[in-house]
Amino acid sequence: MVDQQQLWDVDAAQNYDTPGTGMFSPEVLGPTIEVLKDLSDGGRAVEFAIGTGRVAIPLAESGVEVAGIELSQAMVARLREKVAEDRIPVVLGDMATASAGEDFALAYLVFNTISNLLTQDEQVECFKNAARHLRPGGCFVIELWVPQLRALPVGHGGTVEVSEPGYILVDTVDVLHQRVVSHHFHFEADVDGGRQAEVFRTPHRYIWPSELDLMARLAGFHLESRWAGWNCDPFTAESRGHVSVYRLG
């Protein structure tokens, strides 16, 4: 069993934010906040695995009342450097079981985080926990990648997902147990002019969209919308990820 507290430690929390670039870029955050604010429909929102507040802070600044659940104390400490508890309250705990209250209009899980739960049972419990947080008719929104098993060559156990200056991402795949380990290699020039790599590994249990839909049904949700991303482009067989909106009841 992976200790998520150790995985998302102080070093991970301090290096997580990339202001203005990557997942913190306006091109990513702008549409994300627009969709979530619209789905909150004037009500309160709760973010499962709130992290350092990448989405929660701008969503709160847009006028939505936001609370959160987070397992990592280090990630919450980084969040607290940016915003106070009375502005965005956070409960320390597992997103599959911890409670931040009831009667929310919106619960959401972004950037593939439901896959950090490494068993199907835990993922089902996460849906049930979202249902407990929501008022009747509330929404649970999940952003998740589509497993790219077609890119896995026969006889090979991994794929290179990203290769760019200073960074390589290699995913190793266990298709029997639906497990992926992402190996993040970050390169920095050393004092001798060579290259030295730091490696950060994150385990995941990947979920097919149809499996996700069944988990939702078990918790009392139905699929309302599915897009290829936060810009609400149509989801197709070639989409590498999706944003799925589940309605309670």
Side-chain angles (χ1 to χ4, degrees):
M1 180 63 68
V2 175
D3 188 332
Q4 296 286 346
Q5 281 273 26
Q6 290 185 0
L7 181 63
W8 300 104
D9 60 9
V10 172
D11 286 342
Q14 290 300 320
N15 292 295
Y16 188 78
D17 294 3
T18 57
T21 63
M23 61 180 174
F24 284 81
S25 69
E27 295 79 13
V28 173
L29 279 176
T32 304
I33 301 308
E34 184 177 344
V35 169
L36 293 176
K37 182 176 182 180
D38 183 61
L39 290 172
S40 71
D41 195 27
R44 298 184 301 142
V46 57
E47 180 171 357
F48 285 14
I50 195 171
T52 66
R54 178 183 72 95
V55 172
I57 292 173
L59 185 60
E61 290 173 345
S62 77
V64 178
E65 185 179 341
V66 182
I69 295 172
E70 174 57 50
L71 184 64
S72 168
Q73 295 181 1
M75 299 291 270
V76 175
R78 179 74 182 101
L79 170 64
R80 288 288 161 252
E81 295 174 12
K82 297 181 279 186
V83 65
E85 172 75 16
D86 61 353
R87 185 75 174 101
I88 300 179
V90 176
V91 172
L92 278 170
D94 189 328
M95 60 184 167
T97 57
S99 176
E102 299 177 345
D103 201 37
F104 288 92
L106 172 69
Y108 64 94
L109 246 177
V110 296
F111 207 64
N112 307 321
T113 311
I114 193 171
S115 67
N116 288 355
L117 299 171
L118 299 180
T119 70
Q120 187 183 69
D121 286 344
E122 290 176 312
Q123 292 167 348
V124 169
E125 287 305 312
C126 184
F127 271 94
K128 292 180 179 179
N129 197 29
R132 289 191 290 269
H133 280 78
L134 292 171
R135 66 192 186 191
C139 283
F140 187 28
V141 180
I142 292 180
E143 178 186 17
L144 187 60
W145 96 98
V146 176
Q148 298 297 305
L149 298 193
R150 287 185 299 173
L152 192 65
V154 176
H156 292 263
T159 58
V160 177
E161 294 296 315
V162 179
S163 179
E164 59 189 30
Y167 176 65
I168 294 175
L169 169 61
V170 176
D171 281 348
T172 54
V173 185
D174 176 354
V175 296
L176 181 62
H177 299 100
Q178 291 185 210
R179 292 288 183 89
V180 169
V181 177
S182 294
H183 308 260
H184 307 264
F185 296 88
H186 295 272
F187 295 87
E188 304 236 355
D190 63 26
V191 292
D192 298 320
R195 306 294 281 180
Q196 207 165 30
E198 293 184 353
V199 182
F200 180 65
R201 296 180 175 89
T202 53
H204 311 273
R205 181 186 185 272
Y206 61 81
I207 316 168
W208 298 105
S210 56
E211 183 186 9
L212 200 71
D213 295 347
L214 183 56
M215 292 179 183
R217 289 175 58 190
L218 291 172
F221 292 96
H222 66 271
L223 180 66
E224 181 172 88
S225 303
R226 173 166 287 141
W227 308 300
W230 294 104
N231 289 315
C232 303
D233 295 325
F235 180 75
T236 72
E238 302 305 315
S239 299
R240 294 181 64 88
H242 60 95
V243 174
S244 296
V245 180
Y246 295 101
R247 184 76 63 177
L248 186 62

